[in-house]
């Protein structure tokens, strides 16, 4: 997902320069932009909500609105 956001080459270079072996290790470096650091967790959260909408706060919000 980080490569989708920032580009495959950029992520490969960042991993090589930082000697990181996974995305989560890149979070502690300055080799990727903050937007990319935030993109993956947001995507994961959206996926979790989409797959389990009954377990999310959206259900509670929907109840409050209606």
């Amino acid at each position: 997902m980080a490569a989708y956001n920032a580009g495959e080459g950029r992520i490969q270079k960042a991993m090589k320069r930082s000697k990181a072996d996974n995305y989560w290790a890149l979070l502690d470096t300055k080799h990727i932009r903050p937007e990319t650091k935030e993109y993956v967790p947001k995507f994961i959260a959206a996926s979790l909500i989409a797959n389990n909408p009954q377990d999310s706060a959206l259900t509670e919000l929907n109840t409050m609105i209606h």
Side-chain angles (χ1 to χ4, degrees), residues 48-59:
L48 290 171
I49 291 168
N51 287 323
N52 299 299
Q54 69 282 0
D55 294 339
S56 72
L58 292 177
T59 302

Side-chain angles (χ1 to χ4, degrees), residues 9-48:
R10 185 173 301 230
I11 297 301
Q12 286 177 342
K13 286 179 189 176
M15 291 184 76
K16 186 175 181 178
R17 288 180 182 153
S18 67
K19 298 182 179 153
D21 61 354
N22 62 62
Y23 166 79
W24 304 109
L26 281 177
L27 294 179
D28 293 331
T29 73
K30 294 183 179 182
H31 296 287
I32 59 174
R33 294 181 179 178
E35 300 87 41
T36 302
K37 290 180 181 184
E38 295 169 2
Y39 179 79
V40 173
K42 287 179 182 179
F43 184 86
I44 292 170
S47 296
L48 290 171

